[in-house]
Amino acid sequence: FTKLCTLQMSHICPLDDAPATEVVLTREEGLQYYRIMQTMRRMELKADQLYKQKIIRGFCHLYDGQEACAVGIEAGINLTDHLITAYRAHGYTYTRGGTVKEIMAELTGRRGGIAKGKGGSMHMYTKNFYGGNGIVGAQVPLGAGVALACKYQERNELCVCLYGDGAANQGQIFETYNMAALWKLPVIFICENNKYGMGTSVERAAASTDYFKRGDFIPGLRVDGMDVLCVREATRFAADHCRSGKGPILMELQTYRYHGHSMSDPGVSYRTREEIQEVRSKSDPISMLKDRMLSNNMASVEELKEIDVEVRKEIEDAAQFATTDPEPPLDDLCNHIFSNEPPLEVRGTNPWTKLKSVS
């Protein structure tokens, strides 16, 4: 058994019940969560290294520090449920069924990438996972559309719709809240509040930093996003809320990113190195789970070290593949524009170049 932190609930639209504050974590679950979080952490650190070597180019937003959010959410829903997020998407691509090899190869723009080398860091997709979206906040109305499809098809599925604290001030999000509440859509709106939108602290960007209360007529929860079990239980509760036909629910996960906003942001001009180090030492999601398991005799130091070694090898093998796999040929450039259309000609960079699009 483990006792969780107290969750805050929005009083504007109160809930009849609350998530569990005492839960059971099995040894198997703990080891699984630890392995996934370590894989995500190591994958992002390798991406940082490859970016600095100019092997990964363009936009690249890393997720290290926020692993408990992705792992906790996935533990609280099913793979048949749907998920959409913004551009900090590598971790979710992995939890949704992508392999480290496919993700790394996509980052380096290779043929074996999860989007065949044509999507890059910001545009990765798997079954029931709709990206990786580059326009700030634009995934939120898309996610409501997925939730509408869930309701229409009557499959008892839901959509988890993620956005950051920076996107929380976008008008389209409030429009989406309104539609979702009117139509009682099975959608969990999740604000991953990592304290900084690009290079600006939440206090400088938002008149109200109570993001979980922003839904107004939608009930909200504020959750410790650094504790995988807190996130898991809150997500389970939110999923039950949606599946019971009560409509949307809003969650604010208070988390932290160790890297800058993207690889072009050193991340220390608007916050101190000491602040980052303090979060790492006091509330790192991987360290907290590790300490919890060791103190409850659920795993040994040797077992966890063995997982670390296996994860490092998997990441190194994936990086080797991502730097040696060939780039997609130009002929593939226009493929997969449509999902099931007969082949068609697409004009290239001038009226005389013709490329073929194959579904």
Side-chain angles (χ1 to χ4, degrees):
F1 283 89
T2 182
K3 194 167 179 64
L4 300 184
C5 60
T6 308
L7 294 118
Q8 286 179 270
M9 291 192 282
S10 168
H11 296 296
I12 301 167
C13 185
L15 288 156
D16 299 332
D17 203 357
T21 53
E22 288 194 349
V23 298
V24 175
L25 173 70
T26 67
R27 171 181 148 79
E28 289 69 29
E29 287 170 341
L31 291 172
Q32 181 193 17
Y33 301 162
Y34 181 81
R35 182 183 289 273
I36 297 170
M37 287 201 286
Q38 274 291 31
T39 302
M40 289 165 65
R41 175 73 55 89
R42 290 285 157 199
M43 183 169 68
E44 297 297 58
L45 294 177
K46 179 55 73 172
D48 170 78
Q49 184 185 335
L50 294 177
Y51 198 97
K52 286 169 179 169
Q53 293 171 354
K54 298 191 175 179
I55 295 168
I56 295 173
R57 309 301 295 264
F59 293 103
C60 187
H61 304 78
L62 303 182
Y63 199 70
D64 49 320
Q66 300 184 210
E67 295 89 353
C69 297
V71 177
I73 289 167
E74 292 289 17
I77 59 170
N78 308 317
L79 277 174
T80 50
D81 291 319
H82 307 262
L83 194 143
I84 189 167
T85 188
Y87 36 71
R88 207 176 299 281
H90 309 159
Y92 289 102
T93 310
Y94 180 66
T95 60
R96 288 268 105 189
T99 66
V100 178
K101 191 181 276 191
E102 288 172 324
I103 295 164
M104 296 301 295
E106 190 57 43
L107 288 171
T108 57
R110 306 304 171 112
R111 199 165 57 190
I114 200 153
K116 304 191 188 302
K118 296 188 288 185
S121 172
M122 300 171 90
H123 304 290
M124 299 188 189
Y125 311 91
T126 66
K127 186 173 174 60
N128 299 335
F129 175 59
Y130 308 88
N133 292 267
I135 306 300
V136 176
Q139 72 278 8
V140 179
L142 294 177
V146 173
L148 178 59
C150 292
K151 184 169 184 176
Y152 185 79
Q153 292 171 347
E154 297 181 342
R155 290 185 184 165
N156 200 28
E157 295 168 357
L158 57 85
C159 184
V160 172
C161 190
L162 294 126
Y163 56 96
D165 51 275
N169 301 315
Q170 286 275 330
Q172 58 192 321
I173 290 178
F174 295 91
E175 293 176 48
T176 306
Y177 286 166
N178 186 55
M179 284 190 285
L182 278 173
W183 300 341
K184 284 193 161 33
L185 299 183
V187 56
I188 307 173
F189 294 111
I190 299 184
C191 175
E192 289 182 296
N193 176 8
N194 61 23
K195 308 290 192 290
Y196 298 94
M198 294 191 76
T200 308
S201 69
V202 292
E203 290 80 14
R204 291 184 64 210
S208 167
T209 57
D210 288 338
Y211 296 104
F212 70 113
K213 294 180 182 177
R214 295 276 194 97
D216 195 5
F217 33 74
I218 298 173
L221 299 168
R222 175 179 272 163
V223 184
D224 181 355
M226 301 301 266
D227 186 329
V228 67
L229 295 182
C230 277
V231 179
R232 184 186 76 178
E233 292 313 307
T235 306
R236 280 180 179 169
F237 176 85
D240 289 343
H241 176 94
C242 288
R243 292 192 216 280
S244 65
K246 293 177 183 172
I249 189 167
L250 174 56
M251 281 166 49
E252 175 192 346
L253 306 184
Q254 293 192 313
T255 183
Y256 200 83
R257 56 171 166 80
Y258 294 156
H259 268 85
H261 171 73
S262 71
M263 286 302 296
S264 59
D265 166 24
V268 288
S269 58
Y270 49 86
R271 59 181 183 178
T272 63
R273 284 188 169 85
E274 289 73 27
E275 178 186 307
I276 302 166
Q277 195 50 47
E278 186 179 11
V279 175
R280 278 183 181 276
S281 61
K282 289 184 179 174
S283 55
D284 179 78
I286 299 175
S287 299
M288 286 205 299
L289 177 63
K290 180 180 180 177
D291 293 346
R292 189 177 263 160
M293 291 185 72
L294 291 174
S295 61
N296 285 286
N297 298 316
M298 296 172 74
S300 66
V301 174
E302 290 71 27
E303 272 182 300
L304 298 179
K305 276 186 180 170
E306 198 175 312
I307 291 174
D308 295 347
V309 170
E310 289 168 4
V311 166
R312 282 173 189 262
K313 185 181 186 314
E314 183 184 5
I315 302 301
E316 288 304 323
D317 290 348
Q320 177 65 24
F321 174 75
T323 50
T324 54
D325 191 49
E327 294 181 1
L330 185 62
D331 292 349
D332 286 359
L333 182 65
C334 294
N335 288 350
H336 313 111
I337 293 175
F338 301 102
S339 65
N340 55 353
E341 294 283 327
L344 70 148
E345 283 195 336
V346 180
R347 184 167 73 81
T349 52
N350 62 61
W352 302 279
T353 351
K354 292 282 171 62
L355 293 163
K356 196 168 280 294
S357 172
V358 181
S359 296

